[in-house]
Amino acid sequence: RVDTGEELRFTTNFLWMCQGYYRHDQGYTPEWPDMEKFKGEIVHPQTWPEDLDYKGKRVIVIGSGATAATLVPAIAGDCEHVTLLQRSPTYFIPGRNENELADRLRQLQIDESWIHEITRKEILHNQDEFTRRSFEEPEAVRKELLDAVKLFLPEDFVEKHFTPKYRPWRQRIAFVPDGDIFQGIASGKASVETDEIERFTEKGILLKSGKELEADIIITATGFHLSVLGDIEFSKDGEPIDFADTVTYRGMMFTGVPNMVWVFGYFRASWTLRVDLMGDFVCRLLNHMGSHQAKSVTVEIPEKDKDMKLLPWIDPENFNPGYLMRSMHLLPKRGDKYEWQHTQDYWREKDELPAIDLDGDEFVYA
């Protein structure tokens, strides 16, 4: 127990790991030179102080992802000025914060349950189509994304500050409701610097270009630490388990580890879509074990797949955000056959996971 230090022991027949995938107690902040010299306050959004007063203050937000894009317009109205400082740009999707199809169906007085099902299917279809196009016609998708930002900001500004070097969907793409961050920049309440940090100073940050940014508060929206299975030290029969030595079965079970499923969702679609599919799978698996009077189930690579190539958890050419790249050495391996990897493909898995043959060679019951 955290409050008393008392050690408690629980026993279970089956372990379902649903703890998420990042460490909740501490965000990721790089170690920049001379951070201790800064006279102001340094804050990570994950541990935001309740008493932080940024009204009338000069604020620097370091980062280029969804947190930074959400934070800047949220505080810009109260700050003297807020500067978004990024090492490299990311892609954004500005759009209206509403669903036109749902609104139109409501005007037609369609039943709400129908509206939910239709709009849900359309959103999922559009996400899948966008992902497919980002691989098959990346330049066209890139142009569409940048053209949307150019509706708010000058072309040369977009070229300098909002044109990433990588193809779309190698990292997450943030939705910007009504282009709020771009409107804040256009109004002058916010500004952008694309540069690298040389070091911190008493007054703020010195950039490698030689420019110094002064600030009262520096917010490091620089990501999080990946938590692999809750950072728990697992052991089997007294021997520690190193998950990096295991191979994942569909991103949810691991070779040699009995009676455990790890909930890991999607990056390019709603996380909970996969949680839903896995909930059904776990129920089916437990019922199958019960009907066969099995106490244990473990996945193992069958003989026909023994010679398959083992690879990192995810292909960095496919998806490579910093939090994954920093922790790849902690994650299980994937095989080059799709059953032995987390495909990130909802449209495939929604049909395949319910059809998994629980008597297949990869399942070992005891």
Side-chain angles (χ1 to χ4, degrees):
R1 290 178 53 170
V2 176
D3 54 348
T4 65
E6 178 188 1
E7 184 175 298
L8 301 176
R9 182 181 295 271
F10 298 87
T11 61
T12 183
N13 295 326
F14 196 95
L15 192 58
W16 196 0
M17 298 300 296
C18 310
Q19 83 295 331
Y21 71 117
Y22 68 91
R23 293 179 190 163
H24 294 259
D25 60 334
Q26 183 183 25
Y28 171 72
T29 299
E31 288 294 326
W32 289 292
D34 299 335
M35 290 179 72
E36 72 283 354
K37 292 183 179 179
F38 177 57
K39 297 296 186 182
E41 194 167 1
I42 299 175
V43 174
H44 192 285
Q46 201 166 312
T47 49
W48 190 276
E50 290 185 12
D51 59 351
L52 182 66
D53 181 13
Y54 50 81
K55 291 186 177 180
K57 304 287 180 65
R58 297 165 300 169
V59 179
I60 296 173
V61 177
I62 305 174
S64 60
T67 302
T70 305
L71 190 56
V72 168
I75 67 174
D78 292 324
C79 299
E80 177 185 320
H81 188 78
V82 57
T83 301
L84 175 68
L85 173 59
Q86 57 182 9
R87 183 176 58 185
S88 58
T90 191
Y91 290 106
F92 295 102
I93 301 177
R96 296 171 64 186
N97 196 18
E98 59 185 41
N99 188 293
E100 293 181 4
L101 176 60
D103 291 343
R104 179 61 179 149
L105 292 174
R106 289 192 178 100
Q107 287 178 348
L108 298 174
Q109 298 183 336
I110 303 298
D111 185 89
E112 279 293 328
S113 62
W114 284 34
I115 294 173
H116 169 79
E117 189 66 20
I118 292 168
T119 54
R120 182 177 185 271
K121 288 285 177 63
E122 186 201 40
I123 291 168
L124 291 172
H125 174 270
N126 291 346
Q127 287 176 342
D128 184 62
E129 181 72 5
F130 180 74
T131 301
R132 181 192 62 76
R133 291 184 61 231
S134 72
F135 285 94
E136 295 180 2
E137 42 186 292
E139 287 307 313
V141 172
R142 175 186 176 91
K143 183 178 185 303
E144 290 169 14
L145 292 171
L146 297 182
D147 284 349
V149 181
K150 290 173 186 175
L151 296 175
F152 299 90
L153 297 168
E155 185 169 347
D156 58 344
F157 192 91
V158 174
E159 183 69 29
K160 181 177 180 180
H161 297 298
F162 290 103
T163 302
K165 297 176 182 177
Y166 56 91
R167 67 158 174 77
W169 256 138
R170 282 186 72 184
Q171 297 186 20
R172 278 185 166 174
I173 302 176
F175 174 75
V176 180
D178 303 315
D180 54 9
I181 186 172
F182 308 125
Q183 292 192 54
I185 294 166
S187 72
K189 287 296 291 180
S191 58
V192 184
E193 294 287 343
T194 302
D195 203 339
E196 293 189 42
I197 295 172
E198 179 69 29
R199 59 182 173 85
F200 277 53
T201 67
E202 290 187 3
K203 296 180 179 179
I205 294 174
L206 179 66
L207 304 177
K208 290 200 172 178
S209 63
K211 183 176 183 178
E212 184 174 9
L213 302 177
E214 295 188 1
D216 304 299
I217 300 171
I218 296 174
I219 300 171
T220 58
T222 45
F224 55 84
H225 294 283
L226 194 74
S227 170
V228 180
L229 293 149
D231 296 319
I232 295 168
E233 294 182 3
F234 284 87
S235 63
K236 176 184 171 184
D237 298 331
E239 294 296 320
I241 297 173
D242 184 349
F243 283 94
D245 294 334
T246 70
V247 181
T248 183
Y249 173 72
R250 297 183 184 268
M252 59 183 181
M253 296 176 75
F254 313 104
T255 52
V257 182
N259 288 17
M260 188 174 79
V261 171
W262 184 25
V263 173
F264 204 99
Y266 295 117
F267 292 123
R268 296 190 178 108
S270 171
W271 183 270
T272 49
L273 285 172
R274 196 163 201 263
V275 177
D276 227 16
L277 293 173
M278 291 180 63
D280 290 339
F281 169 78
V282 169
C283 289
R284 197 159 67 89
L285 179 63
L286 293 175
N287 287 333
H288 187 77
M289 292 173 69
S291 65
H292 288 68
Q293 297 184 322
K295 301 288 186 182
S296 168
V297 60
T298 310
V299 290
E300 298 292 355
I301 299 172
E303 284 299 322
K304 63 183 177 65
D305 294 334
K306 288 287 187 183
D307 60 346
M308 73 176 172
K309 188 176 181 181
L310 298 184
L311 304 159
W313 168 265
I314 199 164
D315 179 3
E317 290 300 312
N318 182 299
F319 192 70
N320 63 4
Y323 59 86
L324 272 181
M325 296 301 102
R326 289 192 298 270
S327 302
M328 195 71 80
H329 63 289
L330 302 174
L331 288 159
K333 300 292 187 295
R334 66 183 165 97
D336 63 1
K337 297 188 176 182
Y338 70 88
E339 298 98 327
W340 299 96
Q341 53 189 254
H342 186 350
T343 65
Q344 292 292 329
D345 189 345
Y346 167 74
W347 285 89
R348 181 173 188 164
E349 289 196 328
K350 74 178 178 61
D351 297 323
E352 288 189 351
L353 293 192
I356 290 174
D357 180 6
L358 296 177
D359 288 316
D361 293 341
E362 63 269 36
F363 294 100
V364 179
Y365 299 95

